[in-house]
Amino acid sequence: MSISHAPPSAHDPDTSGIAAPLAPDALQRLVPDSSRRARVPRWLRRTTGPLLLLLLWQLLSTTGVLTPDVLASPGRIARVGADLVGDGSLPSAVATSLGRVAAGLVFGTVIGVGLALGSGLFRVGEDLVDAPVQMLRTVPFVGLIPLFIIWFGIGETPKIAIITLGVTFPLYLNVYAGIRGVDSQLIEAGESLGLSRWGLVRHVVLPGALPGALTGLRYALGVSWLALVFAEQVNADSGIGFLMVQARDFLRTDVIVVCLIVYAFLGLLTDFVVRSLERLLLQWRPTFTGR
């Protein structure tokens, strides 16, 4: 028996314009550009720049363009750093500096966040607090070092006071801006749900201000290390800055660079801690991560 194929009628749907399904191997070839770029590990891309800079530095030192009295070579700095670690002077200095930064950060956080909450949540607080804070933050905290020495002497108190002052204002500005930047529609939604004033603050205002607060904390940590550099070079008998002062007196550029590298590493480490805290606390907020 033969089967005849009838020609398509006018009522039959035209399937000639419908593309055939892609084969599995074709589907595998459709890879986004971001996935292709992701084949290169991100840690490798991030370390390429510093490694190239280090190689250039070593090349200039080897060829004599950079003399040791101007800037020691990376190899020399690595040996000096190992010697400072071996005799215990660098770990002791780092521990002292970390203690000062931690104390100044705690005091600055309490003062800055406290003032921001009072000024951001209450109009009366804004009228009383914001103007004096805006005036004081324009005063360079480094210029207050002689005054702090007169007030507090030459011990640890003026050093911690300088760091505290440097930390307070970034936290105040960012927390205050975060509070006042909360969407008013969220406040209205919370009120329609029957939240009390404290409930609005706890469940709407503070979570909305958290991204700004963490940004202020990152900035405050950077300022704290900057303030520590100035604080430890004035009447200091310990700490990383004290090592730098001694190295300056003996024209030891290698020791100075070692101390600067330690400052940079500690600043990078603290920033990494805060960024990890951001990823943990702000999982609810979708953000653009680059392409």
Side-chain angles (χ1 to χ4, degrees):
M1 179 183 296
S2 63
I3 301 176
S4 62
H5 297 278
S9 64
H11 299 285
D12 294 335
D14 184 10
T15 59
S16 60
I18 300 178
L22 294 176
D25 56 346
L27 290 175
Q28 294 177 358
R29 291 194 297 269
L30 298 177
V31 181
D33 292 339
S34 59
S35 299
R36 296 193 188 102
R37 291 194 297 266
R39 292 177 181 175
V40 179
R42 189 178 181 186
W43 65 267
L44 182 59
R45 299 200 307 266
R46 292 176 67 91
T47 55
T48 300
L51 288 176
L52 291 177
L53 182 61
L54 189 64
L55 291 175
L56 177 62
W57 181 6
Q58 181 65 47
L59 178 63
L60 294 177
S61 299
T62 303
T63 56
V65 177
L66 286 178
T67 58
D69 56 340
V70 175
L71 185 62
S73 65
R76 171 64 180 173
I77 290 172
R79 290 191 297 271
V80 171
D83 294 338
L84 292 175
V85 173
D87 61 18
S89 57
L90 187 58
S92 176
V94 170
T96 302
S97 297
L98 282 175
R100 290 167 179 162
V101 169
L105 185 65
V106 169
F107 290 129
T109 300
V110 172
I111 296 173
V113 174
L115 291 176
L117 290 176
S119 181
L121 296 176
F122 308 100
R123 293 182 180 177
V124 176
E126 180 183 11
D127 297 336
L128 296 176
V129 172
D130 189 63
V133 170
Q134 297 297 337
M135 292 172 58
L136 290 175
R137 77 179 183 88
T138 59
V139 178
F141 62 88
V142 178
L144 297 176
I145 292 178
L147 193 59
F148 284 170
I149 293 175
I150 295 175
W151 287 349
F152 306 117
I154 59 175
E156 291 295 308
T157 304
K159 301 176 180 59
I160 296 176
I162 293 170
I163 299 171
T164 300
L165 193 64
V167 168
T168 298
F169 298 121
L171 279 170
Y172 171 83
L173 292 175
N174 284 274
V175 175
Y176 173 80
I179 293 174
R180 290 304 176 93
V182 175
D183 193 347
S184 60
Q185 294 182 354
L186 296 177
I187 302 294
E188 295 176 358
E191 291 176 347
S192 64
L193 293 175
L195 292 178
S196 62
R197 182 179 181 85
W198 168 244
L200 287 174
V201 171
R202 179 182 177 184
H203 298 288
V204 179
V205 177
L206 293 183
L210 186 58
L214 292 175
T215 301
L217 181 60
R218 290 182 63 185
Y219 184 63
L221 282 170
V223 176
S224 68
W225 292 110
L226 177 62
L228 179 69
V229 172
F230 291 102
E232 290 189 333
Q233 296 190 27
V234 179
N235 296 320
D237 56 0
S238 61
I240 304 174
F242 175 68
L243 291 180
M244 293 181 65
V245 172
Q246 283 188 321
R248 180 196 62 190
D249 296 338
F250 292 98
L251 303 179
R252 294 288 304 274
T253 60
D254 47 5
V255 177
I256 294 176
V257 174
V258 168
C259 295
L260 292 177
I261 292 175
V262 171
Y263 274 129
F265 176 76
L266 292 176
L268 185 64
L269 179 61
T270 53
D271 185 74
F272 171 76
V273 172
V274 178
R275 292 181 66 179
S276 301
L277 191 63
E278 283 183 340
R279 288 192 291 268
L280 179 64
L281 297 178
L282 301 181
Q283 296 179 359
W284 51 270
R285 188 186 65 162
T287 57
F288 177 67
T289 58
R291 295 182 60 87

